[in-house]
Amino acid sequence: MSKEAGIQQVFGGGGHVVILGAGASIASTMRNGERSGKRLPSMDNFIDVVGLHDIVEGLPDDLRATNFETLYSKIHNDNPDSEILQAIQSRVQLYFGDMHLPDEPTIYDYLVLSLRSKDLIATFNWDPFLYQAWVRNREFTKDMPHLSFLHGNVAIGYSPEDKRCGPAGYSCRRDGGVLKPTQLLYPIEKKNYTDDEFINGEWERVKYWMGKDGSTKRVTVFGYGAPTSDVEAVSLLNTAWGTPEDRVMEQFEVIDLVDEETLKERWSGFIHTHHYDISDSYFKSSLASNPRRTSESYFSHIQALTIEEAFRVNNPVPNDFTSLEQLWDWHRPLIEAEAAKDQE
């Protein structure tokens, strides 16, 4: 199947779930940095980068730690209602909330345009980059993937009264219903996502999308290392996905700099035999090889109806665009083919 024929082939089913960890945001900022030069911290340099030294210095020695997750857990275990925890949450919200994408296309812009409304992006990241990319690319197309914020997000607020989420600080109605900032921080030993109404809803969405009742045929994990501190998160994902024997046809993909054998072992509970792909760059992934046609590409290789379809030619997106307009122009034939299909 030629590249041009692949662009015109539009299916309605076969969802794609993308799970993002810190590595995805780091990859995005390495390509195009945050507008004002702000850095994304790791858990080990978090205190320095975010500026928490004045808070840490006021703590007794037994509550101090250089790793942020360990520090937060110690304070939480000592007093879960501590005003110090609220101060840390406010400082984190302020630091990440003031981050902005550069004007140039980032990996997140490529990502949100690579999927459609039948797909889902679930992120563990607090930074606002994914949401900002989603908002600005809706100027080009409304057929965008759904989003889930599994650890909360500085850009997203929630109104318990209205059961609605959206941009933090916005009002749902004239008489109130303010979208309050979502919870960001959890102790290592007890990341009980069901305790928070908003977070629980975000997890229910991704569990449905990855479960047997959903139509997902591809899962891509981008920059998420399944750390030991996220045992509960990995367990929830694994329960939703099922065993490898439950997923004998679906394709599991990992984008990470770690070596293949380590990644195969790390994600062994999700992979059935040879049904996996591993790449060290977003632009080598299924998302960049066949944007907006990742499911069509899957069916061409797994359940091809013709010999020509089995030898489908990829439609890789160029990685050197310098403006959103260039990125949009490249995607335009794909969008037009989708619109034509909807009118049939």
Side-chain angles (χ1 to χ4, degrees):
M1 177 182 286
S2 69
K3 183 187 300 184
E4 291 70 24
I7 290 173
Q8 297 303 316
Q9 186 185 55
V10 182
F11 295 162
H16 194 155
V17 172
V18 179
I19 300 169
L20 304 179
S25 287
I26 291 171
S28 180
T29 54
M30 287 179 67
R31 175 183 171 84
N32 296 105
E34 192 274 336
R35 186 180 299 172
S36 62
K38 296 184 78 170
R39 290 192 295 157
L40 282 171
S42 69
M43 290 299 108
D44 289 327
N45 68 9
F46 198 97
I47 295 170
D48 292 327
V49 174
V50 177
L52 299 176
H53 276 294
D54 58 321
I55 295 176
V56 174
E57 288 171 359
L59 296 172
D61 290 342
D62 61 323
L63 295 184
R64 296 188 186 188
T66 56
N67 179 277
F68 176 70
E69 280 193 316
T70 304
L71 171 76
Y72 186 87
S73 291
K74 284 187 174 185
I75 300 172
H76 186 278
N77 293 340
D78 180 68
N79 180 9
D81 298 318
S82 170
E83 292 182 0
I84 297 173
L85 296 181
Q86 294 303 315
I88 292 175
Q89 170 96 4
S90 297
R91 196 76 61 86
V92 171
Q93 180 80 35
L94 182 63
Y95 183 86
F96 283 88
D98 194 38
M99 286 184 158
H100 299 279
L101 289 176
D103 294 332
E104 300 80 14
T106 68
I107 284 177
Y108 278 140
D109 294 292
Y110 281 85
L111 173 61
V112 296
L113 287 176
S114 74
L115 300 170
R116 291 150 50 197
S117 58
K118 62 185 180 60
D119 307 314
L120 172 72
I121 304 174
T123 180
F124 286 99
N125 299 332
W126 297 329
D127 65 71
F129 298 147
L130 174 65
Y131 182 68
Q132 290 174 359
W134 188 88
V135 168
R136 71 184 188 179
N137 284 282
R138 272 178 62 84
E139 296 180 22
F140 172 57
T141 176
K142 297 297 188 289
D143 189 359
M144 301 279 282
H146 295 260
L147 306 179
S148 281
F149 301 96
L150 304 180
H151 277 178
N153 191 270
V154 295
I156 302 299
Y158 180 70
S159 170
E161 298 85 1
D162 300 273
K163 310 300 181 188
R164 291 181 60 186
C165 64
Y170 279 45
S171 296
C172 297
R173 43 191 161 80
R174 291 183 178 180
D175 60 343
V178 175
L179 298 171
K180 299 177 182 178
T182 54
Q183 177 74 21
L184 302 176
L185 307 175
Y186 301 86
I188 294 175
E189 298 87 353
K190 188 186 177 183
K191 292 189 175 180
N192 191 347
Y193 303 119
T194 59
D195 285 351
D196 184 280
E197 186 175 61
F198 168 75
I199 297 297
N200 184 58
E202 300 301 285
W203 273 100
E204 288 301 313
R205 185 181 302 113
V206 75
K207 285 160 61 178
Y208 171 78
W209 230 276
M210 290 185 66
K212 278 294 187 180
D213 291 336
S215 62
T216 297
K217 297 300 180 184
R218 282 188 184 271
V219 170
T220 298
V221 177
F222 182 12
Y224 178 62
T228 55
S229 58
D230 267 355
V231 171
E232 184 173 353
V234 176
S235 176
L236 287 171
L237 293 173
N238 212 327
T239 300
W241 186 242
T243 67
E245 288 69 31
D246 296 326
R247 299 291 188 167
V248 296
M249 296 302 291
E250 288 83 350
Q251 198 75 7
F252 195 84
E253 179 179 43
V254 182
I255 308 172
D256 206 303
L257 296 177
V258 178
D259 67 271
E260 180 172 341
E261 290 306 312
T262 299
L263 292 172
K264 283 173 60 179
E265 176 62 26
R266 180 181 296 171
W267 296 103
S268 60
F270 294 79
I271 297 172
H272 180 79
T273 59
H274 62 284
H275 288 269
Y276 73 91
D277 299 292
I278 291 176
S279 59
D280 60 3
S281 166
Y282 173 84
F283 291 100
K284 298 177 184 177
S285 72
S286 65
L287 298 157
S289 296
N290 290 286
R292 305 186 74 82
R293 300 294 183 269
T294 59
S295 296
E296 288 82 354
S297 172
Y298 163 86
F299 287 117
S300 291
H301 293 102
I302 300 298
Q303 298 175 332
L305 299 179
T306 65
I307 294 177
E308 290 77 11
E309 188 175 356
F311 292 92
R312 182 192 189 103
V313 176
N314 289 337
N315 181 33
V317 62
N319 65 2
D320 57 355
F321 293 129
T322 58
S323 71
L324 288 176
E325 288 73 19
Q326 290 177 346
L327 183 65
W328 294 349
D329 284 343
W330 186 89
H331 283 84
R332 202 173 304 279
L334 294 158
I335 303 293
E336 290 173 350
E338 293 156 21
K341 182 68 174 181
D342 289 341
Q343 294 174 2
E344 290 182 358

